[in-house]
Each structure stands twice: as C-alpha cells, then as structure tokens.
Short mmCIF file of all heavy atoms in Angstrom, two decimals:
data_model
loop_
_atom_site.label_atom_id
_atom_site.label_comp_id
_atom_site.label_asym_id
_atom_site.label_seq_id
_atom_site.Cartn_x
_atom_site.Cartn_y
_atom_site.Cartn_z
N ALA O 1 151.35 77.08 116.03
CA ALA O 1 151.74 76.11 115.04
C ALA O 1 150.69 75.74 114.02
O ALA O 1 150.83 75.46 112.85
CB ALA O 1 152.28 74.77 115.62
N HIS O 2 149.46 75.80 114.52
CA HIS O 2 148.21 75.44 113.71
C HIS O 2 147.77 76.56 112.76
O HIS O 2 146.90 76.30 111.97
CB HIS O 2 147.10 74.96 114.61
CG HIS O 2 146.61 76.04 115.46
ND1 HIS O 2 147.30 76.56 116.64
CD2 HIS O 2 145.56 76.95 115.41
CE1 HIS O 2 146.62 77.57 117.18
NE2 HIS O 2 145.53 77.78 116.38
N SER O 3 148.14 77.71 113.01
CA SER O 3 147.64 78.88 112.32
C SER O 3 148.52 79.24 111.08
O SER O 3 149.76 78.88 111.09
CB SER O 3 147.51 80.05 113.24
OG SER O 3 148.69 80.54 113.69
N ALA O 4 148.05 80.01 110.27
CA ALA O 4 148.75 80.38 109.00
C ALA O 4 149.31 81.83 109.13
O ALA O 4 148.95 82.68 108.48
CB ALA O 4 147.84 80.26 107.91
N VAL O 5 150.16 82.06 110.20
CA VAL O 5 150.71 83.33 110.38
C VAL O 5 151.99 83.48 109.35
O VAL O 5 152.74 82.65 109.28
CB VAL O 5 151.25 83.52 111.79
CG1 VAL O 5 151.93 84.90 112.02
CG2 VAL O 5 150.14 83.32 112.82
N GLU O 6 151.87 84.68 108.69
CA GLU O 6 152.99 84.93 107.78
C GLU O 6 154.02 85.88 108.22
O GLU O 6 153.65 86.72 109.00
CB GLU O 6 152.32 85.41 106.41
CG GLU O 6 151.32 84.43 105.76
CD GLU O 6 150.76 84.97 104.55
OE1 GLU O 6 150.99 86.18 104.17
OE2 GLU O 6 149.77 84.33 104.04
N GLY O 7 155.23 85.69 107.78
CA GLY O 7 156.27 86.58 108.07
C GLY O 7 156.91 86.34 109.43
O GLY O 7 156.71 85.24 109.98
N ASP O 8 157.57 87.32 110.00
CA ASP O 8 158.35 87.21 111.24
C ASP O 8 157.51 87.64 112.40
O ASP O 8 158.10 88.06 113.51
CB ASP O 8 159.66 87.93 111.11
CG ASP O 8 160.61 87.48 110.08
OD1 ASP O 8 160.56 86.23 109.93
OD2 ASP O 8 161.40 88.18 109.52
N TRP O 9 156.22 87.58 112.25
CA TRP O 9 155.30 88.12 113.32
C TRP O 9 155.57 87.48 114.68
O TRP O 9 155.64 88.12 115.71
CB TRP O 9 153.89 87.97 112.90
CG TRP O 9 153.00 88.40 114.04
CD1 TRP O 9 152.63 89.64 114.41
CD2 TRP O 9 152.26 87.57 114.95
NE1 TRP O 9 151.75 89.57 115.44
CE2 TRP O 9 151.46 88.26 115.75
CE3 TRP O 9 152.09 86.18 114.92
CZ2 TRP O 9 150.69 87.75 116.72
CZ3 TRP O 9 151.27 85.54 115.95
CH2 TRP O 9 150.51 86.40 116.77
N ILE O 10 155.67 86.11 114.70
CA ILE O 10 155.96 85.34 115.92
C ILE O 10 157.25 85.67 116.60
O ILE O 10 157.25 85.91 117.83
CB ILE O 10 155.80 83.81 115.70
CG1 ILE O 10 154.36 83.49 115.24
CG2 ILE O 10 156.17 83.13 116.99
CD1 ILE O 10 154.23 82.04 114.92
N SER O 11 158.20 85.83 115.78
CA SER O 11 159.60 86.20 116.37
C SER O 11 159.53 87.68 117.02
O SER O 11 160.05 87.87 118.00
CB SER O 11 160.61 86.15 115.24
OG SER O 11 160.76 84.84 114.76
N ALA O 12 158.84 88.65 116.32
CA ALA O 12 158.74 89.86 116.79
C ALA O 12 157.93 89.96 118.09
O ALA O 12 158.26 90.66 119.00
CB ALA O 12 157.99 90.79 115.74
N LEU O 13 156.88 89.05 118.17
CA LEU O 13 156.00 89.01 119.38
C LEU O 13 156.91 88.40 120.54
O LEU O 13 156.84 88.90 121.69
CB LEU O 13 154.84 88.24 119.12
CG LEU O 13 153.82 88.09 120.29
CD1 LEU O 13 153.38 89.40 120.80
CD2 LEU O 13 152.62 87.14 119.91
N GLU O 14 157.63 87.36 120.20
CA GLU O 14 158.56 86.91 121.32
C GLU O 14 159.48 87.87 121.84
O GLU O 14 159.71 87.93 122.89
CB GLU O 14 159.30 85.59 120.74
CG GLU O 14 158.49 84.31 120.66
CD GLU O 14 159.40 83.18 120.11
OE1 GLU O 14 160.35 83.39 119.29
OE2 GLU O 14 159.08 82.08 120.46
N THR O 15 160.06 88.68 120.92
CA THR O 15 161.03 89.63 121.27
C THR O 15 160.32 90.72 122.16
O THR O 15 160.90 91.13 123.20
CB THR O 15 161.65 90.38 120.07
OG1 THR O 15 162.26 89.36 119.28
CG2 THR O 15 162.60 91.42 120.48
N ALA O 16 159.13 91.13 121.76
CA ALA O 16 158.40 92.03 122.65
C ALA O 16 158.05 91.42 123.95
O ALA O 16 158.10 92.13 125.03
CB ALA O 16 157.09 92.48 121.96
N CYS O 17 157.67 90.26 124.03
CA CYS O 17 157.32 89.51 125.22
C CYS O 17 158.60 89.46 126.15
O CYS O 17 158.52 89.78 127.40
CB CYS O 17 156.75 88.19 125.03
SG CYS O 17 155.02 88.16 124.48
N ARG O 18 159.70 89.16 125.62
CA ARG O 18 160.83 89.15 126.47
C ARG O 18 161.28 90.43 127.01
O ARG O 18 161.70 90.60 128.16
CB ARG O 18 162.06 88.59 125.59
CG ARG O 18 162.07 87.11 125.35
CD ARG O 18 163.39 86.61 124.80
NE ARG O 18 163.19 85.23 124.17
CZ ARG O 18 162.99 84.99 122.92
NH1 ARG O 18 162.99 86.00 122.06
NH2 ARG O 18 162.82 83.74 122.53
N LYS O 19 161.07 91.48 126.13
CA LYS O 19 161.39 92.88 126.68
C LYS O 19 160.39 93.20 127.80
O LYS O 19 160.83 93.78 128.80
CB LYS O 19 161.11 93.87 125.43
CG LYS O 19 161.41 95.20 125.82
CD LYS O 19 161.17 96.07 124.54
CE LYS O 19 161.32 97.58 124.74
NZ LYS O 19 161.03 98.36 123.59
N VAL O 20 159.16 92.84 127.73
CA VAL O 20 158.21 93.12 128.77
C VAL O 20 158.60 92.46 130.09
O VAL O 20 158.58 92.95 131.12
CB VAL O 20 156.78 92.79 128.42
CG1 VAL O 20 155.75 92.71 129.53
CG2 VAL O 20 156.26 93.75 127.33
N ILE O 21 158.94 91.14 129.91
CA ILE O 21 159.41 90.33 131.07
C ILE O 21 160.65 90.94 131.79
O ILE O 21 160.72 91.09 133.01
CB ILE O 21 159.57 88.89 130.69
CG1 ILE O 21 158.32 88.18 130.28
CG2 ILE O 21 160.26 88.02 131.87
CD1 ILE O 21 158.50 86.89 129.58
N LYS O 22 161.61 91.31 130.96
CA LYS O 22 162.79 91.89 131.38
C LYS O 22 162.64 93.24 132.14
O LYS O 22 163.18 93.51 133.19
CB LYS O 22 163.77 92.05 130.26
CG LYS O 22 165.19 92.58 130.72
CD LYS O 22 166.10 92.74 129.46
CE LYS O 22 167.54 93.25 129.90
NZ LYS O 22 168.37 93.40 128.81
N LYS O 23 161.84 94.18 131.51
CA LYS O 23 161.66 95.43 132.06
C LYS O 23 160.54 95.61 133.08
O LYS O 23 160.38 96.48 133.83
CB LYS O 23 161.33 96.46 130.97
CG LYS O 23 162.64 96.71 130.11
CD LYS O 23 162.42 97.91 129.06
CE LYS O 23 163.61 98.27 128.39
NZ LYS O 23 163.49 99.49 127.64
N GLY O 24 159.49 94.61 132.99
CA GLY O 24 158.37 94.60 133.95
C GLY O 24 157.42 95.72 133.59
O GLY O 24 156.66 96.11 134.49
N GLU O 25 157.51 96.24 132.39
CA GLU O 25 156.46 97.30 131.96
C GLU O 25 155.64 96.78 130.80
O GLU O 25 156.06 96.12 129.91
CB GLU O 25 157.32 98.52 131.52
CG GLU O 25 158.05 99.16 132.60
CD GLU O 25 159.02 100.30 132.12
OE1 GLU O 25 158.93 100.58 130.93
OE2 GLU O 25 159.72 100.81 132.92
N SER O 26 154.35 97.08 130.86
CA SER O 26 153.50 96.82 129.77
C SER O 26 153.59 97.64 128.51
O SER O 26 154.03 98.78 128.63
CB SER O 26 152.01 96.99 130.30
OG SER O 26 151.64 96.09 131.43
N ILE O 27 153.30 97.12 127.34
CA ILE O 27 153.41 97.80 126.16
C ILE O 27 152.18 97.52 125.27
O ILE O 27 151.46 96.45 125.46
CB ILE O 27 154.71 97.52 125.31
CG1 ILE O 27 154.66 95.99 124.87
CG2 ILE O 27 155.93 97.95 126.00
CD1 ILE O 27 155.88 95.73 123.91
N SER O 28 151.83 98.47 124.34
CA SER O 28 150.78 98.29 123.48
C SER O 28 151.19 98.83 122.16
O SER O 28 151.98 99.86 122.09
CB SER O 28 149.49 99.05 123.87
OG SER O 28 148.95 98.33 125.08
N TYR O 29 150.82 98.15 121.11
CA TYR O 29 151.12 98.71 119.71
C TYR O 29 150.12 98.18 118.74
O TYR O 29 149.41 97.22 118.94
CB TYR O 29 152.56 98.24 119.31
CG TYR O 29 152.89 96.86 119.34
CD1 TYR O 29 152.71 96.09 118.26
CD2 TYR O 29 153.38 96.26 120.51
CE1 TYR O 29 152.94 94.62 118.35
CE2 TYR O 29 153.57 94.93 120.58
CZ TYR O 29 153.44 94.20 119.55
OH TYR O 29 153.73 92.77 119.59
N THR O 30 149.98 98.84 117.58
CA THR O 30 149.21 98.45 116.45
C THR O 30 149.97 98.04 115.26
O THR O 30 151.04 98.63 115.06
CB THR O 30 148.30 99.65 116.01
OG1 THR O 30 147.51 99.99 117.22
CG2 THR O 30 147.32 99.21 115.01
N GLU O 31 149.55 97.00 114.64
CA GLU O 31 150.29 96.45 113.51
C GLU O 31 149.41 95.75 112.49
O GLU O 31 148.21 95.29 112.92
CB GLU O 31 151.46 95.46 113.90
CG GLU O 31 150.94 94.23 114.64
CD GLU O 31 152.07 93.34 115.20
OE1 GLU O 31 153.23 93.45 114.73
OE2 GLU O 31 151.85 92.65 116.18
#
C-alpha cells in the first residue's frame, strides 16, 4: 500500500501465489 507499484503487478503476484499454494510447487519468473 505504501509503494508506488504501477499496473496489475500486485494482482498478478496474488494469482501466482494462489497457484503455488494450490499446487504446492515453487515457481520462478522474470518480469
């Protein structure tokens, strides 16, 4: 909330975190 993140980055990160929790597998990516 305190940072100046632009775009849908937080929503994309939340989606990725949910996927990791659901599948139980780690992921890595560059963006």
Side-chain angles (χ1 to χ4, degrees):
H2 65 284
S3 65
V5 179
E6 297 176 6
D8 295 329
W9 175 77
I10 295 174
S11 297
L13 182 59
E14 279 183 330
T15 301
C17 286
R18 282 191 197 98
K19 182 178 175 182
V20 165
I21 294 167
K22 183 178 179 182
K23 291 188 173 186
E25 298 174 1
S26 299
I27 61 170
S28 291
Y29 54 92
T30 302
E31 63 186 335

